[in-house]
């Protein structure tokens, strides 16, 4: 497989000969205000430009949208992607939303969905923030649900994209269940003021390595959105200090990783 990290959580993945666009945020730099109520909300999003011309990201076989927050599915993606492009979403609510936006080829992920011989399985147990955050109804509604996806094919290693989640026992159990060879972690340590992290951070990368010592970890979702507090350099220093640097790849925007 070839995983090209685009920006934030957007990936271009070639897997078993098919090209998948993951969580497309396609806006130019500074297109949107920072997320209100989050760390560094005065910074506009995205903080950096796309590393490639946007047209190069549209020629794909399918799209996977783990959830519909603006930094994973934005207005530019809605306007630019072909309306008949095959798109996989986490549940019926998101399918109805994308249908209302004009998209016609939608599939809700299950434990065993397929695309041209590639098995796509929805992960379970994810939570886009702490229990304390989800105890507040308005915040729980805003954070919503977010899934991950597991790719399997006889000719490829197993790939798991964890999506926007903190590392909790249910997520750890799912990782151990699937035993992926490659794990993509959203590890930018994004924070909601007063409620803490809503995605993984450096210690979570370390703990995922302890769970899956054989796996190659790709850490993304950094240095592109206002509320992400962990930088690539800080994560690199942390994993090297913990002697797991060989297991963790921290790609730059536009960098491709062949696994």
């Amino acid at each position: 497989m070839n995983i090209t990290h685009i920006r934030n959580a957007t990936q271009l993945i070639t897997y078993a000969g098919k090209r998948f666009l993951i969580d497309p945020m396609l806006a130019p730099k500074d297109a949107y205000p920072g997320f209100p109520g989050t760390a560094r909300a005065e910074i506009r999003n995205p903080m950096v430009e796309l590393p490639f011309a946007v047209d190069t990201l549209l020629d794909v076989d399918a799209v996977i949208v783990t959830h519909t927050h603006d930094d994973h599915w934005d207005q530019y993606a809605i306007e630019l992607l072909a309306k008949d492009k095959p798109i996989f979403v986490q549940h019926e609510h998101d399918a109805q939303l994308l249908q209302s936006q004009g998209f016609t080829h939608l599939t809700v992920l299950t434990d065993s969905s397929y695309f041209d011989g590639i098995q796509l399985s929805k992960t379970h147990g994810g939570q886009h923030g702490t229990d304390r955050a989800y105890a507040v109804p308005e915040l729980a509604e805003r954070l919503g649900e977010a899934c991950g996806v597991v790719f399997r094919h006889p000719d490829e290693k197993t790939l798991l994209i964890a999506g926007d989640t903190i590392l909790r026992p249910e997520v750890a159990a799912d990782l151990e269940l699937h035993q992926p060879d490659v794990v993509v972690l959203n590890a930018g340590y994004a924070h909601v003021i007063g409620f803490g992290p809503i995605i993984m951070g450096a210690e979570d990368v370390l703990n995922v390595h302890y769970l899956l010592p054989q796996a190659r970890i790709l850490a993304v979702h950094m240095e592109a959105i206002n509320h992400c507090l962990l930088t690539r350099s800080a994560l690199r220093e942390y994993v090297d200090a913990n002697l797991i640097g060989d297991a963790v790849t921290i790609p730059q925007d536009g960098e491709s990783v062949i696994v």
Side-chain angles (χ1 to χ4, degrees), residues 68-165:
T68 56
H69 285 170
D70 289 345
D71 60 329
H72 293 251
W73 176 250
D74 73 338
Q75 190 61 38
Y76 281 80
I78 293 166
E79 294 174 359
L80 292 171
L81 284 164
K83 292 299 185 284
D84 61 350
K85 187 73 67 178
I87 301 179
F88 292 84
V89 296
Q90 64 172 331
H91 48 42
E92 189 61 37
H93 179 274
D94 282 2
Q96 291 176 4
L97 175 63
L98 268 66
Q99 187 176 40
S100 74
Q101 295 165 344
F103 294 93
T104 60
H105 194 165
L106 298 163
T107 301
V108 175
L109 286 163
T110 67
D111 288 344
S112 188
S113 304
Y114 283 88
F115 181 77
D116 280 3
I118 300 166
Q119 184 180 8
L120 301 171
S121 302
K122 180 181 174 180
T123 61
H124 296 283
Q127 185 172 289
H128 199 359
T130 61
D131 289 344
R132 193 162 64 88
Y134 275 83
V136 180
E138 297 83 0
L139 185 54
E141 182 178 1
R142 180 180 168 194
L143 292 169
E145 298 179 56
C147 78
V149 60
V150 184
F151 292 66
R152 286 190 176 88
H153 187 275
D155 297 332
E156 291 277 14
K157 297 176 181 178
T158 299
L159 165 67
L160 186 148
I161 298 173
D164 270 10
T165 183

